[in-house]
């Protein structure tokens, strides 16, 4: 009973100020009432800007990169968010068109984004991606889809893409996915 009473005493409300005292602090009824009324409330939480800085991953991994974005839908969210993060995006509507552009200037492109939804049947897409990845093995590929259950930033899907992301997405998740794709492509076996 002593332990539970101690916990209850340490977390009890102060009657003069209805704010809850911190755990483990002893209360002087007169002194705590005066100091609580006079002192500003100190918060241990982070400000929003510091929180955002900690959530970001350093400099934008897309800043200045040339990205070839394959999507059946014009002005898709992936394309717009990539532009917002500083990428130079070239949208194309088919994987064949992307392959033609890669063959013309293979060193010009830094990343290949593929929006899977509405592009082509999955079995055809996988076959085309296998041949594309064989021909351009040093190009990081990120695949996007609303059908994915979760982001996959591992090497599990490495034969077809270096990373995959479920939609809708956020800028922070896109940054992490791009960095993971670049790292996975660099460290492939």
């Amino acid at each position: 009973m002593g332990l539970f009473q101690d916990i209850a005493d340490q977390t009890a409300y102060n009657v003069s100020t209805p704010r809850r005292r911190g755990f483990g602090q002893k209360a002087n009824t007169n002194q705590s009432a005066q100091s609580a009324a006079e002192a500003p409330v100190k918060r241990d939480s982070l400000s929003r800007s510091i929180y955002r800085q900690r959530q970001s991953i350093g400099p934008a991994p897309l800043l200045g990169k040339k990205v070839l974005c394959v999507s059946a839908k014009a002005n898709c969210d992936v394309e717009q968010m990539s532009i917002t993060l500083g990428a130079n995006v070239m949208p194309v509507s088919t994987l064949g068109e992307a392959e033609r552009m890669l063959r013309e200037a293979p060193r010009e492109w830094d990343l290949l984004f593929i929006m899977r939804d509405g592009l082509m049947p999955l079995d055809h897409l996988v076959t085309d991606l296998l041949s594309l990845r064989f021909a351009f093995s040093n190009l990081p590929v990120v695949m996007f889809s609303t059908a994915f259950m979760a982001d996959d930033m591992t090497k599990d899907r490495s034969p077809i893409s270096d990373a995959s992301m479920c939609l809708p997405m956020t800028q922070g998740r896109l940054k992490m996915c791009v960095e993971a794709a670049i790292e996975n492509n660099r460290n492939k076996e």
Side-chain angles (χ1 to χ4, degrees):
M1 184 76 179
L3 176 64
F4 293 114
Q5 187 61 40
D6 288 343
I7 291 172
D9 289 344
Q10 291 176 352
T11 59
Y13 283 104
N14 187 340
V15 177
S16 61
T17 58
R19 291 192 183 113
R20 182 171 267 223
R21 289 194 332 256
F23 184 76
Q25 295 177 345
K26 298 287 182 185
N28 272 342
T29 54
N30 288 339
Q31 194 175 19
S32 65
Q34 291 172 354
S35 63
E38 295 170 5
V41 177
K42 182 180 177 185
R43 296 185 179 170
D44 293 332
S45 64
L46 300 171
S47 69
R48 287 183 187 212
S49 63
I50 292 173
Y51 177 77
R52 286 185 185 135
Q53 286 173 357
R54 288 186 182 176
Q55 292 300 315
S56 69
I57 315 165
L62 289 174
L63 190 62
K65 300 276 186 187
K66 289 189 148 200
V67 178
L68 194 56
C69 185
V70 181
S71 175
K73 185 177 100 175
N75 292 326
C76 67
D77 295 339
V78 173
E79 181 184 331
Q80 295 302 319
M81 195 170 291
S82 300
I83 291 169
T84 303
L85 291 173
N88 298 321
V89 178
M90 171 60 116
V92 293
S93 58
T94 64
L95 200 56
E97 192 177 343
E99 188 172 359
R100 182 184 54 78
M101 293 182 78
L102 286 169
R103 289 199 190 281
E104 288 174 2
R107 298 195 190 278
E108 184 176 337
W109 303 103
D110 297 312
L111 288 158
L112 176 63
F113 286 174
I114 299 171
M115 178 66 185
R116 186 187 88 101
D117 300 335
L119 198 58
M120 62 176 64
L122 185 60
D123 54 346
H124 295 288
L125 180 66
V126 170
T127 305
D128 289 351
L129 277 174
L130 287 171
S131 65
L132 184 99
R133 296 276 291 168
F134 182 75
F136 304 100
S137 61
N138 292 332
L139 181 68
V141 176
V142 181
M143 190 179 304
F144 301 89
S145 178
T146 56
F148 293 147
M149 297 301 285
D151 298 345
D152 185 4
M153 298 179 201
T154 63
K155 294 181 184 181
D156 291 345
R157 294 185 182 148
S158 63
I160 57 172
S161 68
D162 294 302
S164 57
M165 176 173 265
C166 67
L167 297 175
M169 65 181 177
T170 62
Q171 286 184 356
R173 284 180 44 229
L174 179 60
K175 285 180 183 181
M176 287 190 306
C177 194
V178 167
E179 285 188 347
I182 292 170
E183 189 65 27
N184 288 344
N185 189 274
R186 196 177 295 146
N187 296 327
K188 62 184 163 207
E189 296 170 36

